[in-house]
Amino acid sequence: MLELLHYLSEKPRRVVITTHWNPDGDAVGSSLGWAHFLRSKGHVVRVVWPNAPSKNLEWIPGVGSSLCLTAESQTIEVQEVISQADTVFALDYNTFSRVGESLQTVLERFDGTTVLIDHHQQPDPHFSIVCSDTKKGSTSEMIYDLIAAEGAVHSLSSDAATCLLTGIITDSGQFRFPSTQPATFRAAAALVERGAEPEFIHQSLFDSSSVSKMHLWGRAMANMSFQEGGKVAVLALSSQDNQECGYNKGDTEGLVNQGLAVQGVQVSAFFREEEQGVKISFRSKGKVNVNDFSREHFQGGGHANAAGGFFQGSLAQALQKFAKHASELFFLILLTILPLACSPAPSDAREIPQKTAEEQQEAWIQQHRDQLTSERKILNQFAADKGWKPEKSGMGWMRQLFEMGNGAPIQNNERVVLVGRATDLKGRVFYSFPAHKPWELTVGKDNAGEVGLHQALLVSKRGDSLVLILPAHLAHGVAGDLNKIPPMSPVVYYLRIRY
Ligand SMILES: [Mn+2]
């Protein structure tokens, strides 16, 4: 942050401020708020959006003025403006691929200073200056913090204050999401003091619904369905729904939150069918991480509690895929919390005294989550390298069937006899149990064998030949088996189950 303030104080810069595709309240609010401020400090500023903001944002001070350009419709002008700039800001997105193909190409060729200011996870490190804070509820709040750090809040115009408060209100879900902190309210209070009017902003944002929007929301809510014992709400609009209700861009923004309004719901998923596929929004409460889930299954991402996604195919196929994986949303929480139980107290706890216990725990959880994610990638790659397409369980183990047996499905408490070996990912053998010395165990009961092994046996049949890939936490975890399997080691089982 200081690096950026220093950079801006050196001399007036020629600045272009960009945001993500389909700029929302935070993207428009932060880019224009920042633009108004930088202009007042003597910099030459243009705002470039990949495409036009939706209709309910057109009242934001600066929208429609010569300050702003839209890359989709003003391609040549945008190229010119960027080629003349010495500084490009990327606001409210984490990597250039979020701006749409044509603007992305222009930005990637830009050879001046690039500055990222964003609160999304996984910021691209390739910017000249990176201001990333994934704990912040909005980029607009980050912009406010920058201006406050400069000691310049008193110089904010009411237009700039209105822009920034708009971004804070929209991205915090009106001060409701967990990222809403005391600092958020302090920023909001200061912006109101600088002339932003909450009533005007709220009315402009929320009391401007079109008839088509009301009909679409009504239809989606009337058909809302529930999964996972009422913990997951599903909202969906087919192409036919959109056509019949006269869908306009922006009509379904915020609709996904309606699912969370139902008692007991922890995850809301909204699917909207488009020509090219299905656009998906996820929202969650508490520790349920929809960012990981969407990355894994729906080519998307975002924040832990709010993420987007996409599915290539029909609405029915997207819903089917979601139903198949929905239970993982809750397993992922278990996976991140369970390993904590056996973690040693981190030695850096004393070295970072400014972290509260809660922040420390957040950091551990995030660390475990990252470990699990990278392990999952390694295991997926391992299977892909072998040319396998294993079925994947919600818990994280994978099972590749080579030959299906004719025997009965295996039940809990049954005795099974296994022939094969257990290895690491490089094929080094931990244990082998050849035909003359097979391994006998009782399913679901024996201490012998790992959780993942028992689970996989319960979906197998006598006579099956299979490979089972277990991530470390479902094998012997942080300790290893204190014999041949080292700590934190995935285990691969090559197995034949005897009749
Ligand atoms: Mn944002």
Side-chain angles (χ1 to χ4, degrees):
M1 199 188 259
L2 292 177
E3 187 189 3
L4 173 58
L5 294 177
H6 176 73
Y7 171 79
L8 289 170
S9 69
E10 280 174 345
K11 61 175 185 188
R13 307 283 180 182
R14 297 188 73 87
V15 171
V16 168
I17 302 171
T18 64
T19 73
H20 56 77
W21 181 260
N22 281 343
D24 57 5
D26 188 29
V28 175
S30 63
S31 57
L32 281 173
W34 192 223
H36 292 313
F37 176 75
L38 289 179
R39 267 196 165 177
S40 74
K41 294 286 154 198
H43 302 283
V44 178
V45 186
R46 300 302 288 276
V47 172
V48 170
W49 294 310
N51 58 340
S54 59
K55 271 209 158 347
N56 68 328
L57 302 176
E58 281 174 357
W59 57 272
I60 295 176
V63 178
S65 74
S66 60
L67 180 59
C68 311
L69 293 166
T70 302
E72 198 178 34
S73 57
Q74 295 166 289
T75 319
I76 306 288
E77 252 183 298
V78 163
Q79 279 174 3
E80 241 175 66
V81 162
I82 292 178
S83 71
Q84 287 161 8
D86 55 34
T87 311
V88 162
F89 281 92
L91 259 56
D92 202 36
Y93 65 100
N94 52 2
T95 167
F96 280 148
S97 63
R98 306 266 172 216
V99 299
E101 255 174 64
S102 64
L103 182 56
Q104 182 182 352
T105 317
V106 181
L107 290 177
E108 278 169 352
R109 285 199 203 122
F110 176 74
D111 57 7
T113 304
T114 55
V115 185
L116 178 82
I117 305 177
D118 181 42
H119 64 135
H120 292 85
Q121 312 239 339
Q122 279 129 346
D124 190 330
H126 293 105
F127 289 88
S128 322
I129 300 175
V130 175
C131 301
S132 160
D133 189 346
T134 58
K135 285 209 170 64
K136 282 282 168 182
S138 62
T139 300
S140 296
E141 191 183 327
M142 294 179 70
I143 295 289
Y144 171 84
D145 289 347
L146 273 169
I147 295 167
E150 178 77 6
V153 173
H154 66 276
S155 72
L156 274 178
S157 66
S158 68
D159 277 356
T162 300
C163 293
L164 295 178
L165 186 56
T166 301
I168 291 175
I169 287 173
T170 51
D171 251 28
S172 68
Q174 292 146 274
F175 302 104
R176 172 178 45 172
F177 298 147
S179 52
T180 304
Q181 298 294 317
T184 315
F185 290 104
R186 280 196 278 272
L191 293 169
V192 173
E193 276 165 359
R194 291 308 312 150
E197 291 175 35
E199 189 195 15
F200 165 73
I201 294 173
H202 272 264
Q203 280 183 6
S204 308
L205 280 172
F206 305 115
D207 299 346
S208 57
S209 293
S210 60
V211 174
S212 58
K213 174 178 169 177
M214 284 301 163
H215 286 170
L216 284 159
W217 282 49
R219 191 168 290 205
M221 285 197 260
N223 296 324
M224 195 187 298
S225 64
F226 301 90
Q227 295 174 13
E228 300 301 310
K231 284 189 288 189
V232 176
V234 177
L235 293 145
L237 289 169
S238 66
S239 323
Q240 197 186 343
D241 292 325
N242 294 325
Q243 209 171 5
E244 286 172 8
C245 300
Y247 171 81
N248 284 304
K249 192 174 159 239
D251 275 350
T252 55
E253 226 170 77
L255 171 55
V256 62
N257 294 312
Q258 295 303 312
L260 290 183
V262 179
Q263 191 173 30
V265 168
Q266 293 176 34
V267 177
S268 176
F270 167 52
F271 299 76
R272 182 163 54 78
E273 198 167 34
E274 291 182 341
E275 248 171 62
Q276 297 85 355
V278 181
K279 268 210 72 176
I280 310 168
S281 304
F282 297 106
R283 295 289 182 277
S284 67
K285 288 181 178 170
K287 298 247 180 284
V288 184
N289 188 318
V290 288
N291 178 37
D292 290 350
F293 180 82
S294 183
R295 266 171 204 283
E296 176 86 11
H297 299 297
F298 292 103
Q299 320 170 24
H303 310 284
N305 293 113
F310 185 77
F311 178 81
Q312 202 127 26
S314 71
L315 177 62
Q317 290 167 328
L319 291 171
Q320 204 175 16
K321 179 168 183 184
F322 178 74
K324 189 174 155 204
H325 294 286
S327 64
E328 292 167 32
L329 284 160
F330 305 101
F331 281 133
L332 282 170
I333 308 181
L334 275 180
L335 297 191
T336 52
I337 290 170
L338 284 178
L340 284 176
C342 35
S343 293
S347 58
D348 63 356
R350 271 159 293 128
E351 291 158 36
I352 312 173
Q354 70 270 32
K355 274 193 180 170
T356 63
E358 202 173 36
E359 283 171 331
Q360 189 66 60
Q361 186 177 348
E362 261 326 302
W364 293 344
I365 290 177
Q366 188 56 44
Q367 196 186 336
H368 281 286
R369 209 171 254 156
D370 292 347
Q371 274 170 11
L372 288 167
T373 309
S374 66
E375 186 188 26
R376 194 160 50 205
K377 273 191 200 136
I378 292 168
L379 296 185
N380 283 336
Q381 192 56 49
F382 171 77
D385 289 346
K386 301 270 185 190
W388 298 339
K389 291 194 175 122
E391 55 165 303
K392 297 172 185 177
S393 81
M395 292 294 284
W397 51 262
M398 297 190 251
R399 174 176 171 275
Q400 170 75 36
L401 193 59
F402 287 100
E403 210 176 273
M404 204 193 295
N406 294 319
I410 293 163
Q411 315 276 345
N412 246 326
N413 295 324
E414 281 181 1
R415 202 84 185 141
V416 290
V417 180
L418 303 172
V419 176
R421 62 190 192 277
T423 75
D424 69 7
L425 295 180
K426 295 204 169 109
R428 285 181 295 232
V429 177
F430 295 135
Y431 296 104
S432 74
F433 21 101
H436 64 274
K437 219 178 141 193
W439 180 21
E440 274 191 59
L441 78 160
T442 305
V443 178
K445 210 172 179 188
D446 255 346
N447 282 334
E450 302 84 345
V451 190
L453 173 68
H454 287 271
Q455 288 175 353
L457 286 172
L458 283 170
V459 297
S460 301
K461 281 181 177 170
R462 290 179 187 275
D464 280 353
S465 280
L466 56 107
V467 174
L468 178 61
I469 305 168
L470 300 182
H473 69 273
L474 295 178
H476 293 278
V478 285
D481 72 345
L482 305 177
N483 187 4
K484 293 189 176 156
I485 299 177
M488 296 308 289
S489 174
V491 175
V492 184
Y493 274 108
Y494 297 80
L495 295 176
R496 193 163 57 75
I497 307 170
R498 283 200 173 159
Y499 285 101

